[in-house]
Amino acid sequence: QVQLVESGGGLVQAGGSLRLSCAASGRTFSSYAMGWFRQAPGKEREFVASITSSSGVKYYAASVKGRFSISRDNTKNTVYLQMNSLKPEDTAVYYCAADRVITITTIPAYWGQGTQVTVSS
């Protein structure tokens, strides 16, 4: 069982940056792949980025590649999403997720409660 708590969301102007954090409970954090998903109003939840347990491989959605960066610190049981050059279309609730493998088609087993990111134009 993994419990996830996101933080770091907020209101930012277009072109600005935010860093989301996701703190995980449990002693097996380092064995899980971690991911970020988002859901905008009226839209389905979509994959944003993921990172393997050892940080060896990272995946990004095409819409955020080059602007967002995922990382993790297994000593702190935390995964991060650095978001730069934010656009109004990045506005969404961002969710942290965990599973053994997370790719663009995965529906992870564990989810956080979400954190709101709002980008003003």
Side-chain angles (χ1 to χ4, degrees), residues 41-112:
K43 295 187 177 181
E44 293 187 352
R45 191 172 299 187
E46 64 175 2
F47 171 87
V48 175
S50 66
I51 185 168
T52 55
S53 58
S54 62
S55 304
V57 181
K58 302 175 183 180
Y59 298 95
Y60 295 96
S63 59
V64 307
K65 200 167 187 178
R67 300 187 298 122
F68 290 12
S69 178
I70 189 171
S71 61
R72 67 189 294 161
D73 185 340
N74 287 344
T75 66
K76 296 181 179 179
N77 280 16
T78 301
V79 63
Y80 305 97
L81 184 68
Q82 178 66 45
M83 306 185 294
N84 299 326
S85 302
L86 283 161
K87 304 175 180 180
E89 52 262 43
D90 294 318
T91 295
V93 177
Y94 283 71
Y95 296 90
C96 176
D99 210 327
R100 296 300 179 181
V101 176
I102 298 178
T103 66
I104 195 169
T105 59
T106 303
I107 301 176
Y110 302 104
W111 294 89

